[in-house]
Coordinates of all heavy atoms in Angstrom, one line a residue:
M1 N -19.0 22.3 -47.7 CA -19.4 23.6 -47.1 C -18.3 24.0 -46.1 O -17.7 23.1 -45.5 CB -20.7 23.4 -46.5 CG -21.9 23.3 -47.4 SD -23.3 24.0 -46.6 CE -23.9 24.8 -48.0
S2 N -18.2 25.2 -45.9 CA -17.3 25.7 -44.9 C -18.0 26.5 -43.9 O -19.2 26.9 -44.0 CB -16.2 26.5 -45.5 OG -16.8 27.7 -46.1
G3 N -17.4 26.8 -42.8 CA -18.0 27.6 -41.7 C -17.5 27.1 -40.4 O -16.9 26.1 -40.2
A4 N -17.8 27.9 -39.3 CA -17.3 27.6 -38.0 C -18.2 26.6 -37.3 O -17.8 26.0 -36.3 CB -17.2 28.9 -37.2
T5 N -19.4 26.4 -37.7 CA -20.3 25.5 -37.0 C -20.2 24.1 -37.6 O -19.8 23.9 -38.8 CB -21.8 26.0 -37.2 OG1 -22.1 26.0 -38.5 CG2 -22.0 27.4 -36.6
T6 N -20.6 23.1 -36.8 CA -20.5 21.8 -37.2 C -21.7 21.5 -38.2 O -22.8 21.9 -37.9 CB -20.7 20.8 -36.0 OG1 -19.6 21.1 -35.1 CG2 -20.6 19.4 -36.4
P7 N -21.5 20.9 -39.3 CA -22.6 20.7 -40.3 C -23.6 19.7 -39.7 O -23.2 18.8 -39.0 CB -21.9 20.1 -41.5 CG -20.5 19.9 -41.2 CD -20.2 20.5 -39.8
R8 N -24.9 20.0 -40.0 CA -25.9 19.1 -39.5 C -25.9 17.7 -40.2 O -26.2 16.7 -39.7 CB -27.3 19.7 -39.8 CG -27.6 20.9 -38.9 CD -29.0 21.2 -38.7 NE -29.7 20.0 -38.2 CZ -31.0 19.9 -38.3 NH1 -31.7 20.7 -39.0 NH2 -31.6 18.8 -37.8
V9 N -25.5 17.7 -41.5 CA -25.5 16.5 -42.3 C -24.1 16.2 -42.7 O -23.3 17.1 -43.2 CB -26.4 16.7 -43.6 CG1 -26.3 15.4 -44.4 CG2 -27.8 17.1 -43.2
V10 N -23.7 14.9 -42.6 CA -22.4 14.4 -43.0 C -22.7 13.3 -44.0 O -23.4 12.3 -43.7 CB -21.5 13.9 -41.9 CG1 -20.2 13.4 -42.4 CG2 -21.3 15.0 -40.9
L11 N -22.1 13.4 -45.2 CA -22.3 12.4 -46.2 C -20.9 11.7 -46.3 O -19.9 12.4 -46.6 CB -22.7 13.0 -47.6 CG -22.6 12.1 -48.8 CD1 -23.5 10.9 -48.7 CD2 -22.8 12.9 -50.1
Y12 N -20.9 10.4 -46.1 CA -19.6 9.6 -46.2 C -19.7 8.9 -47.5 O -20.7 8.2 -47.8 CB -19.5 8.6 -45.0 CG -19.4 9.3 -43.7 CD1 -20.5 9.4 -42.9 CD2 -18.1 9.7 -43.2 CE1 -20.4 10.0 -41.6 CE2 -18.0 10.3 -42.0 CZ -19.2 10.5 -41.2 OH -19.1 11.1 -40.0
G13 N -18.7 9.1 -48.3 CA -18.7 8.5 -49.7 C -17.3 8.2 -50.2 O -16.3 8.3 -49.4
R14 N -17.2 8.0 -51.5 CA -15.9 7.7 -52.1 C -16.0 8.1 -53.6 O -17.1 8.1 -54.1 CB -15.4 6.3 -51.9 CG -16.3 5.3 -52.5 CD -15.7 3.9 -52.6 NE -14.8 3.5 -51.5 CZ -15.1 2.6 -50.5 NH1 -16.2 1.9 -50.6 NH2 -14.2 2.4 -49.6
A15 N -14.8 8.4 -54.1 CA -14.8 8.7 -55.6 C -15.1 7.5 -56.4 O -14.8 6.3 -56.0 CB -13.4 9.2 -55.9
G16 N -15.8 7.7 -57.5 CA -16.1 6.6 -58.4 C -17.3 5.8 -58.0 O -17.5 4.7 -58.6
C17 N -18.1 6.2 -57.1 CA -19.2 5.5 -56.6 C -20.5 6.1 -57.1 O -20.8 7.3 -56.7 CB -19.2 5.5 -55.0 SG -20.7 5.0 -54.2
H18 N -21.2 5.4 -58.0 CA -22.4 6.0 -58.5 C -23.5 6.3 -57.5 O -24.2 7.3 -57.6 CB -23.0 5.2 -59.7 CG -23.6 4.0 -59.3 ND1 -22.9 2.8 -59.0 CD2 -24.9 3.6 -59.2 CE1 -23.8 1.9 -58.7 NE2 -25.0 2.3 -58.8
L19 N -23.6 5.4 -56.5 CA -24.6 5.7 -55.4 C -24.2 6.9 -54.6 O -25.0 7.7 -54.1 CB -24.7 4.5 -54.5 CG -25.3 3.2 -55.1 CD1 -25.3 2.1 -54.1 CD2 -26.7 3.5 -55.5
C20 N -22.9 7.1 -54.4 CA -22.4 8.3 -53.7 C -22.7 9.6 -54.5 O -23.1 10.6 -54.0 CB -20.9 8.2 -53.5 SG -20.4 6.8 -52.4
D21 N -22.6 9.5 -55.9 CA -22.9 10.6 -56.7 C -24.4 11.0 -56.6 O -24.8 12.2 -56.4 CB -22.6 10.3 -58.2 CG -21.2 10.2 -58.5 OD1 -20.3 10.7 -57.7 OD2 -20.8 9.6 -59.5
D22 N -25.3 10.0 -56.6 CA -26.7 10.2 -56.4 C -27.0 10.8 -55.0 O -27.8 11.7 -54.9 CB -27.5 8.9 -56.5 CG -27.5 8.3 -57.9 OD1 -27.1 9.0 -58.9 OD2 -27.8 7.1 -58.1
A23 N -26.4 10.2 -54.0 CA -26.6 10.7 -52.6 C -26.1 12.2 -52.5 O -26.8 13.0 -51.8 CB -25.8 9.8 -51.6
R24 N -25.0 12.5 -53.1 CA -24.4 13.9 -53.0 C -25.4 14.9 -53.6 O -25.7 15.9 -53.1 CB -23.1 14.0 -53.8 CG -22.5 15.3 -53.8 CD -21.1 15.4 -54.5 NE -20.3 14.3 -54.1 CZ -20.0 13.2 -54.9 NH1 -20.6 13.1 -56.1 NH2 -19.2 12.2 -54.5
D25 N -26.0 14.5 -54.8 CA -27.0 15.4 -55.5 C -28.2 15.6 -54.6 O -28.7 16.7 -54.4 CB -27.4 14.8 -56.8 CG -26.3 14.8 -57.8 OD1 -25.3 15.5 -57.7 OD2 -26.4 14.1 -58.8
L26 N -28.7 14.5 -54.0 CA -29.8 14.5 -53.1 C -29.6 15.4 -51.9 O -30.4 16.2 -51.5 CB -30.3 13.1 -52.7 CG -31.4 13.0 -51.7 CD1 -32.7 13.4 -52.3 CD2 -31.4 11.6 -51.1
V27 N -28.5 15.1 -51.2 CA -28.1 15.8 -50.0 C -28.0 17.3 -50.3 O -28.5 18.2 -49.5 CB -26.9 15.2 -49.3 CG1 -26.3 16.2 -48.2 CG2 -27.2 13.9 -48.7
A28 N -27.3 17.6 -51.3 CA -27.0 19.0 -51.7 C -28.3 19.8 -52.0 O -28.6 20.9 -51.5 CB -26.1 19.1 -52.9
R29 N -29.2 19.1 -52.7 CA -30.5 19.7 -53.0 C -31.4 19.9 -51.8 O -31.9 21.0 -51.5 CB -31.2 18.9 -54.0 CG -32.6 19.4 -54.5 CD -33.2 18.6 -55.6 NE -33.2 17.2 -55.4 CZ -34.1 16.5 -54.7 NH1 -35.0 17.2 -54.0 NH2 -34.0 15.2 -54.6
V30 N -31.5 18.9 -51.0 CA -32.4 19.0 -49.8 C -31.8 20.0 -48.8 O -32.6 20.8 -48.2 CB -32.6 17.6 -49.1 CG1 -33.3 17.7 -47.8 CG2 -33.4 16.7 -50.1
C31 N -30.5 19.9 -48.6 CA -29.9 20.9 -47.6 C -30.1 22.3 -48.1 O -30.3 23.2 -47.3 CB -28.5 20.5 -47.3 SG -28.3 19.0 -46.3
A32 N -29.9 22.5 -49.4 CA -30.1 23.9 -49.9 C -31.5 24.4 -49.7 O -31.8 25.5 -49.3 CB -29.7 23.9 -51.4
E33 N -32.5 23.5 -50.0 CA -33.9 23.8 -49.8 C -34.2 24.2 -48.4 O -35.0 25.1 -48.1 CB -34.8 22.7 -50.3 CG -34.8 22.5 -51.8 CD -35.6 21.3 -52.2 OE1 -36.4 20.7 -51.4 OE2 -35.5 20.9 -53.4
L34 N -33.6 23.4 -47.4 CA -34.0 23.6 -46.0 C -33.0 24.5 -45.2 O -33.2 24.7 -44.1 CB -34.1 22.2 -45.4 CG -35.1 21.2 -45.9 CD1 -35.1 19.9 -45.3 CD2 -36.5 21.9 -45.9
G35 N -32.0 24.9 -45.9 CA -31.0 25.8 -45.3 C -30.1 25.1 -44.2 O -29.6 25.7 -43.3
A36 N -29.9 23.8 -44.5 CA -29.1 23.0 -43.5 C -27.7 22.9 -44.1 O -27.4 22.8 -45.3 CB -29.7 21.6 -43.4
S37 N -26.7 22.9 -43.2 CA -25.3 22.8 -43.6 C -25.0 21.3 -43.7 O -25.5 20.4 -43.1 CB -24.4 23.4 -42.5 OG -24.6 22.8 -41.3
W38 N -24.0 21.0 -44.6 CA -23.6 19.7 -44.8 C -22.1 19.6 -45.3 O -21.6 20.6 -45.7 CB -24.5 18.9 -45.8 CG -24.3 19.4 -47.3 CD1 -24.8 20.5 -47.9 CD2 -23.6 18.7 -48.3 NE1 -24.5 20.5 -49.2 CE2 -23.8 19.4 -49.5 CE3 -22.9 17.5 -48.4 CZ2 -23.2 19.0 -50.7 CZ3 -22.4 17.1 -49.6 CH2 -22.5 17.8 -50.7
V39 N -21.5 18.5 -45.2 CA -20.2 18.3 -45.6 C -20.0 16.9 -46.1 O -20.8 16.0 -45.7 CB -19.2 18.6 -44.4 CG1 -19.3 17.5 -43.3 CG2 -17.7 18.6 -44.9
E40 N -19.1 16.6 -47.0 CA -18.9 15.3 -47.5 C -17.5 14.8 -47.0 O -16.5 15.6 -47.1 CB -18.9 15.3 -49.0 CG -18.7 13.9 -49.6 CD -19.0 13.8 -51.1 OE1 -19.3 14.9 -51.7 OE2 -18.8 12.7 -51.7
V41 N -17.4 13.6 -46.6 CA -16.2 13.0 -46.1 C -15.8 11.8 -47.0 O -16.7 10.9 -47.2 CB -16.3 12.6 -44.7 CG1 -15.0 11.9 -44.2 CG2 -16.6 13.8 -43.8
D42 N -14.7 11.8 -47.6 CA -14.2 10.6 -48.4 C -13.7 9.6 -47.5 O -12.7 9.8 -46.8 CB -13.1 11.1 -49.4 CG -12.7 10.0 -50.4 OD1 -12.7 8.8 -50.0 OD2 -12.4 10.4 -51.5
V43 N -14.3 8.4 -47.4 CA -13.9 7.4 -46.5 C -12.6 6.8 -46.8 O -12.0 6.1 -46.0 CB -15.0 6.2 -46.4 CG1 -16.3 6.8 -45.9 CG2 -15.1 5.5 -47.7
D44 N -12.0 7.0 -48.0 CA -10.8 6.4 -48.4 C -9.6 7.3 -48.1 O -8.4 6.9 -48.2 CB -10.8 6.1 -49.9 CG -11.8 5.0 -50.2 OD1 -11.9 4.1 -49.5 OD2 -12.5 5.2 -51.2
V45 N -9.8 8.5 -47.6 CA -8.7 9.5 -47.3 C -8.4 9.3 -45.8 O -9.3 9.5 -45.0 CB -9.2 10.9 -47.6 CG1 -8.1 11.9 -47.1 CG2 -9.4 11.1 -49.1
P46 N -7.2 9.1 -45.5 CA -6.8 8.9 -44.0 C -7.1 10.2 -43.2 O -6.8 11.3 -43.7 CB -5.3 8.6 -44.1 CG -5.1 8.1 -45.5 CD -6.0 8.8 -46.3
A47 N -7.5 10.0 -42.0 CA -7.7 11.1 -41.1 C -6.3 11.5 -40.6 O -5.4 10.8 -40.7 CB -8.6 10.7 -39.9
P48 N -6.3 12.7 -39.9 CA -5.0 13.1 -39.4 C -4.3 12.1 -38.5 O -3.1 12.0 -38.4 CB -5.3 14.4 -38.6 CG -6.5 15.0 -39.3 CD -7.3 13.7 -39.8
D49 N -5.1 11.3 -37.8 CA -4.5 10.3 -36.9 C -4.2 9.0 -37.6 O -3.7 8.1 -37.0 CB -5.5 10.0 -35.7 CG -6.8 9.3 -36.1 OD1 -6.9 9.0 -37.4 OD2 -7.6 9.0 -35.3
G50 N -4.4 9.0 -38.9 CA -4.0 7.8 -39.7 C -5.1 6.8 -39.9 O -5.0 5.9 -40.7
S51 N -6.2 7.0 -39.2 CA -7.3 6.0 -39.3 C -8.0 6.3 -40.7 O -7.9 7.3 -41.3 CB -8.3 6.2 -38.2 OG -8.9 7.5 -38.2
V52 N -8.6 5.2 -41.2 CA -9.3 5.3 -42.5 C -10.7 4.8 -42.2 O -11.0 3.7 -41.8 CB -8.6 4.4 -43.5 CG1 -9.3 4.5 -44.8 CG2 -7.2 4.8 -43.7
L53 N -11.7 5.7 -42.5 CA -13.1 5.4 -42.3 C -13.6 4.2 -43.2 O -14.6 3.5 -42.9 CB -14.0 6.6 -42.6 CG -14.0 7.6 -41.5 CD1 -14.7 8.9 -41.9 CD2 -14.6 7.1 -40.2
A54 N -12.9 3.9 -44.3 CA -13.3 2.8 -45.1 C -13.2 1.5 -44.3 O -14.0 0.6 -44.7 CB -12.4 2.7 -46.3
D55 N -12.4 1.4 -43.3 CA -12.4 0.2 -42.5 C -13.7 -0.1 -41.8 O -14.1 -1.2 -41.6 CB -11.3 0.3 -41.4 CG -9.9 0.3 -42.0 OD1 -9.7 0.0 -43.2 OD2 -8.9 0.8 -41.3
E56 N -14.4 1.0 -41.4 CA -15.7 0.9 -40.8 C -16.9 1.0 -41.7 O -17.9 0.3 -41.6 CB -15.8 2.0 -39.7 CG -17.1 2.1 -39.0 CD -17.2 3.4 -38.1 OE1 -16.2 4.1 -37.9 OE2 -18.4 3.6 -37.7
L57 N -16.8 1.9 -42.7 CA -17.9 2.3 -43.5 C -17.8 1.8 -45.0 O -18.8 2.0 -45.7 CB -18.2 3.8 -43.5 CG -18.4 4.4 -42.2 CD1 -18.5 5.9 -42.3 CD2 -19.7 3.9 -41.5
G58 N -16.7 1.2 -45.3 CA -16.4 1.0 -46.7 C -17.5 0.2 -47.5 O -17.8 0.5 -48.7
E59 N -18.2 -0.8 -46.9 CA -19.2 -1.6 -47.6 C -20.6 -0.9 -47.5 O -21.5 -1.4 -48.2 CB -19.2 -3.0 -46.9 CG -18.0 -3.8 -47.1 CD -17.6 -4.0 -48.5 OE1 -18.4 -4.3 -49.3 OE2 -16.4 -3.8 -48.8
L60 N -20.7 0.2 -46.8 CA -22.0 0.8 -46.6 C -22.2 2.1 -47.4 O -23.3 2.5 -47.6 CB -22.2 1.2 -45.1 CG -22.2 0.0 -44.1 CD1 -22.4 0.6 -42.7 CD2 -23.4 -1.0 -44.4
V61 N -21.1 2.7 -47.9 CA -21.2 4.0 -48.6 C -22.2 3.9 -49.8 O -22.3 2.9 -50.4 CB -19.9 4.5 -49.0 CG1 -19.0 4.8 -47.9 CG2 -19.2 3.6 -50.0
P62 N -22.9 5.0 -50.0 CA -22.9 6.3 -49.2 C -23.6 6.1 -47.8 O -24.6 5.3 -47.7 CB -23.6 7.3 -50.0 CG -24.5 6.4 -50.8 CD -23.8 5.1 -51.1
V63 N -23.2 6.8 -46.8 CA -23.7 6.8 -45.5 C -24.1 8.3 -45.2 O -23.3 9.2 -45.4 CB -22.8 6.3 -44.5 CG1 -23.3 6.4 -43.1 CG2 -22.4 4.8 -44.8
V64 N -25.3 8.5 -44.6 CA -25.7 9.9 -44.2 C -26.0 9.9 -42.7 O -26.8 9.1 -42.2 CB -26.9 10.4 -45.0 CG1 -27.4 11.7 -44.4 CG2 -26.5 10.6 -46.5
D65 N -25.3 10.8 -42.0 CA -25.6 11.1 -40.6 C -26.3 12.5 -40.5 O -25.8 13.4 -41.2 CB -24.4 11.1 -39.8 CG -23.8 9.7 -39.6 OD1 -24.3 8.7 -40.1 OD2 -22.7 9.7 -38.9
V66 N -27.3 12.6 -39.7 CA -27.9 14.0 -39.4 C -27.8 14.2 -37.9 O -28.2 13.3 -37.1 CB -29.4 14.0 -39.8 CG1 -30.0 15.3 -39.5 CG2 -29.5 13.7 -41.3
D67 N -27.1 15.3 -37.5 CA -26.9 15.6 -36.1 C -26.3 14.5 -35.4 O -26.6 14.2 -34.2 CB -28.2 16.0 -35.5 CG -28.8 17.3 -36.1 OD1 -28.1 18.2 -36.5 OD2 -30.1 17.4 -36.1
G68 N -25.3 13.8 -36.0 CA -24.6 12.7 -35.4 C -25.3 11.4 -35.3 O -24.7 10.5 -34.7
V69 N -26.4 11.3 -35.9 CA -27.2 10.0 -35.9 C -27.2 9.5 -37.3 O -27.6 10.2 -38.3 CB -28.6 10.3 -35.4 CG1 -29.4 9.0 -35.4 CG2 -28.6 10.8 -34.0
R70 N -26.9 8.2 -37.5 CA -27.0 7.5 -38.8 C -28.4 7.5 -39.3 O -29.3 7.0 -38.6 CB -26.4 6.1 -38.6 CG -26.4 5.3 -39.9 CD -25.1 5.2 -40.6 NE -24.0 6.0 -40.1 CZ -22.9 5.5 -39.6 NH1 -22.7 4.2 -39.4 NH2 -21.9 6.3 -39.2
R71 N -28.6 8.0 -40.5 CA -30.0 8.1 -41.0 C -30.1 7.3 -42.3 O -31.3 7.1 -42.8 CB -30.3 9.5 -41.3 CG -30.4 10.4 -40.1 CD -31.5 9.9 -39.2 NE -31.5 10.8 -38.0 CZ -32.5 10.8 -37.1 NH1 -33.5 9.9 -37.2 NH2 -32.5 11.6 -36.1
G72 N -29.1 6.8 -42.9 CA -29.2 5.9 -44.1 C -27.9 5.5 -44.6 O -26.8 6.1 -44.3
Y73 N -27.9 4.5 -45.5 CA -26.8 4.0 -46.2 C -27.2 3.3 -47.5 O -28.4 3.0 -47.6 CB -25.9 3.1 -45.3 CG -26.6 1.9 -44.7 CD1 -26.5 0.7 -45.4 CD2 -27.2 2.0 -43.5 CE1 -27.2 -0.4 -44.8 CE2 -27.8 0.9 -42.9 CZ -27.8 -0.3 -43.6 OH -28.4 -1.4 -43.1
W74 N -26.3 3.1 -48.4 CA -26.5 2.6 -49.7 C -27.4 3.5 -50.6 O -26.8 4.2 -51.3 CB -27.0 1.1 -49.7 CG -26.1 0.1 -49.2 CD1 -24.7 0.1 -49.2 CD2 -26.5 -1.0 -48.4 NE1 -24.2 -0.9 -48.6 CE2 -25.3 -1.7 -48.1 CE3 -27.7 -1.6 -48.1 CZ2 -25.3 -2.9 -47.4 CZ3 -27.7 -2.8 -47.4 CH2 -26.4 -3.4 -47.1
R75 N -28.7 3.4 -50.4 CA -29.5 4.3 -51.2 C -30.2 5.2 -50.2 O -31.0 4.8 -49.3 CB -30.6 3.5 -52.0 CG -30.0 2.7 -53.0 CD -31.0 2.2 -54.1 NE -30.4 1.4 -55.1 CZ -29.8 1.8 -56.2 NH1 -29.7 3.1 -56.4 NH2 -29.3 1.0 -57.0
I76 N -29.9 6.5 -50.3 CA -30.4 7.5 -49.3 C -31.8 7.9 -49.7 O -32.2 8.2 -50.8 CB -29.5 8.7 -49.3 CG1 -28.0 8.3 -49.1 CG2 -30.0 9.7 -48.2 CD1 -27.8 7.4 -47.9
D77 N -32.7 7.8 -48.7 CA -34.1 8.1 -48.8 C -34.4 9.6 -48.5 O -34.1 10.1 -47.4 CB -34.9 7.2 -47.9 CG -36.4 7.4 -48.0 OD1 -36.9 8.3 -47.4 OD2 -37.0 6.6 -48.7
E78 N -34.9 10.3 -49.5 CA -35.2 11.7 -49.4 C -36.2 12.0 -48.3 O -36.0 12.9 -47.5 CB -35.7 12.3 -50.7 CG -35.9 13.8 -50.6 CD -36.3 14.4 -52.0 OE1 -36.1 13.8 -53.0 OE2 -36.7 15.6 -51.9
V79 N -37.2 11.3 -48.2 CA -38.2 11.5 -47.1 C -37.6 11.4 -45.8 O -37.9 12.2 -44.9 CB -39.5 10.6 -47.3 CG1 -40.4 10.7 -46.2 CG2 -40.2 10.9 -48.6
R80 N -36.8 10.3 -45.6 CA -36.2 10.1 -44.3 C -35.2 11.2 -43.9 O -35.2 11.7 -42.8 CB -35.5 8.7 -44.3 CG -35.0 8.3 -43.0 CD -34.5 6.9 -43.1 NE -34.2 6.4 -41.7 CZ -33.8 5.3 -41.4 NH1 -33.7 4.3 -42.3 NH2 -33.5 4.9 -40.2
L81 N -34.5 11.7 -44.9 CA -33.5 12.8 -44.7 C -34.3 14.1 -44.3 O -34.0 14.7 -43.3 CB -32.7 13.0 -46.0 CG -31.8 14.2 -45.9 CD1 -30.7 14.1 -44.8 CD2 -31.0 14.4 -47.3
R82 N -35.4 14.4 -45.0 CA -36.2 15.6 -44.7 C -36.8 15.5 -43.3 O -36.8 16.4 -42.6 CB -37.3 15.7 -45.8 CG -36.8 16.2 -47.1 CD -37.9 16.4 -48.1 NE -37.5 16.9 -49.4 CZ -37.2 18.1 -49.6 NH1 -37.4 19.1 -48.7 NH2 -36.8 18.5 -50.8
R83 N -37.3 14.3 -43.0 CA -37.9 14.1 -41.7 C -36.8 14.3 -40.6 O -37.1 15.0 -39.6 CB -38.5 12.7 -41.6 CG -39.3 12.5 -40.3 CD -39.9 11.1 -40.2 NE -40.7 10.8 -41.4 CZ -40.6 9.7 -42.2 NH1 -39.8 8.8 -41.9 NH2 -41.4 9.6 -43.2
A84 N -35.6 13.8 -40.8 CA -34.6 13.9 -39.8 C -34.2 15.4 -39.6 O -34.0 15.9 -38.5 CB -33.3 13.1 -40.2
L85 N -34.1 16.1 -40.7 CA -33.8 17.6 -40.6 C -34.9 18.4 -40.0 O -34.7 19.4 -39.3 CB -33.5 18.1 -42.0 CG -32.1 17.6 -42.6 CD1 -32.0 17.9 -44.0 CD2 -31.0 18.2 -41.8
A86 N -36.2 18.0 -40.2 CA -37.3 18.7 -39.7 C -37.5 18.5 -38.2 O -37.9 19.4 -37.5 CB -38.6 18.3 -40.4
T87 N -37.2 17.3 -37.7 CA -37.4 17.0 -36.3 C -36.2 17.4 -35.4 O -36.4 17.6 -34.2 CB -37.7 15.5 -36.1 OG1 -36.6 14.7 -36.6 CG2 -38.9 15.0 -36.8
G88 N -35.0 17.5 -36.0 CA -33.9 17.9 -35.2 C -33.8 19.4 -35.0 O -34.3 20.1 -35.9
A89 N -33.4 19.7 -33.9 CA -33.3 21.2 -33.6 C -32.1 21.8 -34.1 O -31.9 23.0 -34.1 CB -33.4 21.4 -32.0
G90 N -31.2 21.0 -34.6 CA -29.9 21.5 -35.1 C -28.9 21.7 -33.9 O -29.2 21.5 -32.8
R91 N -27.8 22.1 -34.3 CA -26.7 22.3 -33.3 C -26.5 23.8 -33.0 O -26.6 24.6 -34.0 CB -25.4 21.7 -33.7 CG -25.6 20.2 -33.7 CD -24.2 19.5 -34.0 NE -24.4 18.1 -33.9 CZ -23.6 17.3 -34.4 NH1 -22.5 17.7 -35.0 NH2 -23.7 16.0 -34.3
P92 N -26.2 24.2 -31.8 CA -26.0 25.7 -31.6 C -24.8 26.2 -32.3 O -23.9 25.5 -32.6 CB -25.9 25.8 -30.1 CG -25.7 24.4 -29.6 CD -26.1 23.4 -30.6

């Protein structure tokens, strides 16, 4: 997703990961239903500063953060994601 605001949901994943594919479908569907913004970050792609998130998150992907708080990894729980989006006020 694009836009000037920070997305509420960040999905960290990698190419060729079937759990990441499942998580992407779930996050896309739930965020579309609730009108929440989201973005996906490939942990294997180096950041502009040269760091690679795979060093930190590689064994946990997929990982989902909502409003900057880790909400799940490996198998993303739909109820937990919905609850996090419902209870958070979002970002201005």
Side-chain angles (χ1 to χ4, degrees):
M1 288 208 138
S2 63
T5 62
T6 302
R8 289 202 60 201
V9 179
V10 179
L11 169 63
Y12 297 95
R14 62 170 34 112
C17 166
H18 73 281
L19 292 176
C20 299
D21 293 340
D22 293 345
R24 182 180 311 107
D25 292 344
L26 173 70
V27 168
R29 180 173 49 80
V30 170
C31 286
E33 288 174 14
L34 300 178
S37 58
W38 72 284
V39 67
E40 184 173 359
V41 176
D42 188 326
V43 299
D44 296 318
V45 174
D49 66 1
S51 64
V52 179
L53 285 172
D55 295 341
E56 175 188 349
L57 301 175
E59 298 300 316
L60 298 176
V61 295
V63 174
V64 171
D65 290 357
V66 177
D67 297 329
V69 177
R70 180 100 353 114
R71 297 296 182 168
Y73 56 93
W74 294 329
R75 294 197 183 275
I76 306 308
D77 183 277
E78 181 172 349
V79 172
R80 190 171 186 178
L81 175 59
R82 286 180 180 279
R83 188 177 305 130
L85 287 167
T87 58
R91 293 186 177 161

